[in-house]
Amino acid sequence: MAGGWAMIPLALLSLAAVYIFFERYLTLKKAAKNPDGFSDRIKSMVLAGDINGARMLCAQTNTPVSRMLGKGVSRIGNPLKNIETSIENVGKIEISKLERNLAALATIAGAAPMLGFLGTVTGMIQAFIAIAQAEGSVSPQLLSAGIYQAMVTTATGLMIGLPAYVGYNYLVSKIDNIVHAMEYSSIEFIDLLQEPQL
């Protein structure tokens, strides 16, 4: 508590950052899991004309890719452009779900150091007020409280902001990998529907 009032919002920001990071990490880890051979099984079912089987398999698999392909499978028989549009729409919804709360983590990464610097400024103001009230007899002990508060808040803000920034970028890179997998699967599915049926 030597850091003064700024330590309370900094503590709240640190708790929020930890919660958001681990919640998103677990969600993305689950979303990145794609059962072995899922796309190949969908492809073989569609080629064999087992549309209901493909739809059931997509419904039983809880991943962004399966939900996209499930929407595409359910639209088979419609014009190819309609199928492509419906897959893209589901893809956008899935990406927005993956990115939920990431903006808050980025805000914490920027706000925590700024809040720490604000605590630094208020601490230095207190030190100068102490100097002004001392009327000439300034001792190191008189200044130490304000300077101590200033240094503690700065360090705390940076200790929260830097891991939050690294965590944010890590989560963004995981989302990019999942989005690439979604794009690849959707392109494969559309190409499959355009293959000549023998």
Side-chain angles (χ1 to χ4, degrees):
M1 294 309 295
W5 64 268
M7 297 300 284
I8 296 169
L10 283 171
L12 294 174
L13 288 179
S14 68
L15 291 173
V18 169
Y19 170 78
I20 291 169
F21 176 79
F22 282 107
E23 186 271 331
R24 284 292 90 194
Y25 174 78
L26 294 173
T27 300
L28 296 177
K29 188 177 179 183
K30 187 178 176 184
K33 280 185 180 177
N34 233 7
D36 291 336
F38 173 76
S39 297
D40 292 334
R41 288 172 68 190
I42 293 292
K43 183 176 181 179
S44 61
M45 284 177 172
V46 170
L47 288 174
D50 186 9
I51 305 303
N52 285 333
R55 192 179 296 144
M56 287 280 290
L57 179 60
C58 289
Q60 291 166 0
T61 311
N62 187 23
T63 64
V65 170
S66 68
R67 285 188 282 274
M68 277 176 48
L69 295 185
K71 179 61 75 172
V73 168
S74 69
R75 293 287 188 268
I76 288 178
N78 291 314
L80 193 62
K81 188 66 182 171
N82 291 356
I83 298 173
E84 197 171 347
T85 303
S86 65
I87 290 175
E88 283 176 10
N89 291 338
V90 172
K92 288 174 186 173
I93 293 168
E94 292 298 326
I95 291 169
S96 71
K97 287 180 185 175
L98 295 175
E99 292 176 342
R100 186 178 299 147
N101 292 330
L102 272 192
L105 188 59
T107 301
I108 291 170
M114 298 297 286
L115 192 55
F117 292 138
L118 179 60
T120 300
V121 171
T122 57
M124 295 307 293
I125 289 170
Q126 286 180 8
F128 284 116
I129 288 171
I131 292 170
Q133 291 173 345
E135 297 177 357
S137 57
V138 178
S139 67
Q141 190 175 1
L142 191 65
L143 296 173
S144 63
I147 294 172
Y148 186 49
Q149 176 182 328
M151 295 301 103
V152 168
T153 54
T154 301
T156 305
L158 290 171
M159 284 165 51
I160 296 167
L162 288 172
Y165 181 70
V166 172
Y168 170 79
N169 284 311
Y170 173 75
L171 294 175
V172 166
S173 69
K174 284 191 75 73
I175 289 172
D176 286 343
N177 291 336
I178 295 169
V179 169
H180 288 316
M182 290 166 64
E183 288 173 349
Y184 180 76
S185 298
S186 64
I187 289 167
E188 264 197 334
F189 183 75
I190 295 299
D191 286 346
L192 168 67
L193 298 181
Q194 294 184 87
E195 286 180 8
Q197 303 296 313
L198 301 175

